[in-house]
Amino acid sequence: MPTANNAASKGNSLVEILVSMGVLTEERAKKIKEAEVQYGSTQEEILTKQNLVKETDLVKAKASLYNIAYIDLSTAPSSPEAMSALPQEVAERFKVFPVSIDKASKTLNLAMADPLDLSALEFVESKTGLRVKPMAAEEGKIVEVTTQRYATSLSQEVTEALKEVEPESKTSVVDGAKTGFIREEKIAEIVNHILEFAVRSRSSDIHIEPQERSTRVRYRIDGILQEKLTIPKALNSALVSRIKILAGMKIDEKRLPQDGRFNFKVADQDTDLRVSSLPTTWGEKVVMRLLKKTGGVPDLPELGLRGKALKNLQEAILRPHGIILICGPTGSGKTTTLYSIISRINTPKVNIVTLEDPIEYKIAGVNQVQVNSAVGLTFASGLRSFLRQDPNVILVGEIRDQETADLAIQAALTGHLVFATLHTNDASGALPRLLDMGAQPYLLASSMTAIVAQRVVRKIHEDCKESYKPDPEILEGMKQVLGPLYPANHDGNLYRGKGDQEDGNSGYFGRLGIFEVIPVTDAISKLILERSPASTIYKKAKEEGMISLKQDGYSKVLEGSTTIEEVLRVAQE
């Protein structure tokens, strides 16, 4: 167990560490040392009383002084196994929180407000029968997570189920031959809790990942993966088998990747889950994509389209024929934008057919077809069949090859309105990509109507929103990017979320799109015929008034919808 004397013997002190961290000046440190001698107070007492450094910086410095690890409990996942080992009343009494258990060394990793509290260490060791490894954490965070995680949420529910799952013999390895130890209904209960939490927390994906000593459960919330739970490695096989049964997959096939799907209903929310399994070093990993059946498709302004970009796209949609491309990397919200457009033009007067892989939302009145390569139904073969179905509007999930590109162009030239997605980083790069695929420039120039590029950023949580003064160079950079779009009356404040229980201390809640829309004008058509590079097309589009992804993002930062960090995360060239 490290002590203050160990650190002192190395010649370090709390203020010296804070100076080396860059959060305290040399001059201030000198005054604190003088006050320590003069008044007999400790350096920590002086720092706390005068509020000279943030609590987090002070705890990190103490961790360094005592030679122990610091842990940020706001991002650390829950371990039901560790929480079941230490009762809530003990955690509250000593201001500690059980982080995880290492079964191999019989060690409990324990976050402590005071890592030098020997009486707390001895009591927890006698209570749990485990060796305690102290970790430094902020007292406020310990109190918060103790109340929050013991009382509610995923960890408490799984903790209760785990108490009945683990065999009396405390067998540390459960393989296929030994799964009789595990009560099936309890495994089903744990899976239900994992799924319910995903629906409640607005997750788009659940990752169940076996590690060397445990299995971690991560959720993609507002586009960012967050580790929320760790469960004993011994249960991984049983959990995966339960999910495979639900998804109609082969439970005895563990060497090959598999796919399946099933429905899950919680409260009044009906959710479709697409399941994918993958054999990894430590066992089978499962990813579940959640697709909500309930709740309507958002309209274009709700997605984040506004101003000139919205006007240009609306005009393109109203044309009876042509191709409208939606571009962006995987996970940038292209499918949602397509569904929003389709919902807008979906009336009994038009015949809409879609070819998707997979069908993510079912829309009443739209003829949706699922790609099935196993039986020969590809984007190209499906598109060829569509032309005999008397369609007005055709949606192609993705243009992947020359055949699909040629068929989409032919459909547009013969009087159909065609929507498709393409994996390019920006709108101007879509046209050279299609030319590279083998599309003829003269056909492309006459069939293309508009190109949209997009990304998704997290929205600031309105309930914990606060304004702040950014560094002057940040505002100067925004002014350079926005140019005449920068509002003359802006007060110089930006916004961020403080973080609360509802948004998981992230400060974000929900997502919003940022867009750039290029209408294919006569000037752009001429550049297509000349096989101009993306940079030339981009320059011409800017001259014609296109608002770029970064400009649209910065406009939404200034209006307080998102943060500059989010825009730079997704739209930095």
Side-chain angles (χ1 to χ4, degrees), residues 247-265:
M249 294 152 73
K250 296 177 184 174
I251 61 169
D252 57 341
E253 179 55 83
K254 300 182 179 184
R255 300 164 302 168
L256 294 172
Q258 293 186 66
D259 294 299
R261 66 192 307 157
F262 65 96
N263 289 336
F264 180 74
K265 191 164 187 177

Side-chain angles (χ1 to χ4, degrees), residues 452-463:
V452 180
Q454 67 179 81
R455 301 286 190 277
V456 282
V457 294
R458 291 181 290 172
K459 286 165 68 177
I460 296 170
H461 189 198
E462 287 295 328
D463 291 354

Side-chain angles (χ1 to χ4, degrees), residues 125-201:
E125 285 186 344
S126 65
K127 186 78 178 172
T128 61
L130 299 165
R131 190 172 66 85
V132 170
K133 182 181 176 183
M135 306 174 92
E138 299 91 327
E139 185 176 321
K141 284 185 181 175
I142 290 175
V143 171
E144 185 184 332
V145 297
T146 301
T147 305
Q148 185 183 327
R149 296 188 190 179
Y150 272 101
T152 57
S153 92
L154 187 61
S155 49
Q156 173 64 11
E157 294 153 349
V158 176
T159 300
E160 291 303 315
L162 273 177
K163 285 178 182 174
E164 297 185 43
V165 166
E166 289 220 75
E168 288 300 316
S169 60
K170 299 290 179 188
T171 305
S172 60
V173 178
V174 176
D175 57 27
K178 298 180 184 175
T179 47
F181 282 137
I182 297 174
R183 290 172 54 186
E184 284 181 25
E185 67 271 23
K186 284 297 167 185
I187 290 295
E189 194 180 313
I190 291 172
V191 171
N192 278 353
H193 290 318
I194 288 170
L195 296 175
E196 280 176 23
F197 183 82
V199 174
R200 289 202 309 266
S201 62

Side-chain angles (χ1 to χ4, degrees), residues 37-337:
V37 175
Q38 189 174 352
Y39 301 111
S41 301
T42 65
Q43 292 181 5
E44 185 179 349
E45 286 169 351
I46 297 165
L47 287 160
T48 307
K49 189 177 180 182
Q50 296 184 23
N51 201 21
L52 295 173
V53 291
K54 292 178 184 172
E55 185 187 11
T56 301
D57 291 329
L58 183 60
V59 173
K60 284 179 179 177
K62 283 169 65 180
S64 176
L65 182 69
Y66 304 147
N67 196 27
I68 60 172
Y70 163 79
I71 183 163
D72 183 356
L73 287 178
S74 59
T75 58
S78 299
S79 169
E81 193 178 19
M83 289 170 67
S84 63
L86 190 72
Q88 182 178 356
E89 54 271 22
V90 177
E92 287 174 343
R93 176 178 158 194
F94 292 108
K95 292 189 172 58
V96 298
F97 183 78
V99 177
S100 60
I101 287 179
D102 184 340
K103 280 199 167 180
S105 60
K106 293 188 176 179
T107 302
L108 172 68
N109 291 314
L110 190 71
M112 303 181 70
D114 180 7
L116 299 184
D117 186 347
L118 295 175
S119 60
L121 287 166
E122 287 168 5
F123 189 90
V124 171
E125 285 186 344
S126 65
K127 186 78 178 172
T128 61
L130 299 165
R131 190 172 66 85
V132 170
K133 182 181 176 183
M135 306 174 92
E138 299 91 327
E139 185 176 321
K141 284 185 181 175
I142 290 175
V143 171
E144 185 184 332
V145 297
T146 301
T147 305
Q148 185 183 327
R149 296 188 190 179
Y150 272 101
T152 57
S153 92
L154 187 61
S155 49
Q156 173 64 11
E157 294 153 349
V158 176
T159 300
E160 291 303 315
L162 273 177
K163 285 178 182 174
E164 297 185 43
V165 166
E166 289 220 75
E168 288 300 316
S169 60
K170 299 290 179 188
T171 305
S172 60
V173 178
V174 176
D175 57 27
K178 298 180 184 175
T179 47
F181 282 137
I182 297 174
R183 290 172 54 186
E184 284 181 25
E185 67 271 23
K186 284 297 167 185
I187 290 295
E189 194 180 313
I190 291 172
V191 171
N192 278 353
H193 290 318
I194 288 170
L195 296 175
E196 280 176 23
F197 183 82
V199 174
R200 289 202 309 266
S201 62
R202 305 168 293 106
S203 301
S204 61
D205 302 83
I206 309 167
H207 292 238
I208 297 175
E209 302 171 310
Q211 310 283 294
E212 185 177 3
R213 294 179 178 172
S214 64
T215 292
R216 69 176 178 180
V217 181
R218 295 195 290 172
Y219 294 85
R220 191 175 292 281
I221 302 170
D222 293 334
I224 305 293
L225 272 175
Q226 299 178 22
E227 192 174 342
K228 293 289 185 183
L229 186 68
T230 59
I231 52 181
K233 174 71 181 294
L235 298 185
N236 187 69
S237 180
L239 276 179
V240 171
S241 295
R242 171 65 184 166
I243 292 164
K244 281 182 166 182
I245 289 166
L246 290 171
M249 294 152 73
K250 296 177 184 174
I251 61 169
D252 57 341
E253 179 55 83
K254 300 182 179 184
R255 300 164 302 168
L256 294 172
Q258 293 186 66
D259 294 299
R261 66 192 307 157
F262 65 96
N263 289 336
F264 180 74
K265 191 164 187 177
V266 54
D268 58 346
Q269 292 196 57
D270 204 1
T271 305
D272 190 21
L273 289 105
R274 288 207 330 263
V275 184
S276 168
S277 72
L278 184 73
T280 69
T281 309
W282 303 112
E284 282 186 284
K285 171 180 174 172
V286 170
V287 174
M288 293 180 274
R289 164 65 58 90
L290 283 78
L291 305 166
K292 286 182 185 174
K293 292 183 174 182
T294 45
V297 176
D299 62 23
L300 294 173
E302 276 182 271
L303 292 176
L305 270 159
R306 55 196 66 169
K308 191 166 185 178
L310 178 61
K311 179 173 172 286
N312 287 336
L313 184 56
Q314 285 173 331
E315 285 174 0
I317 292 165
L318 292 173
R319 292 191 188 182
H321 54 81
I323 297 177
I324 297 172
L325 280 180
I326 314 288
C327 307
T330 303
S332 59
K334 300 186 297 294
T335 306
T336 305
T337 301

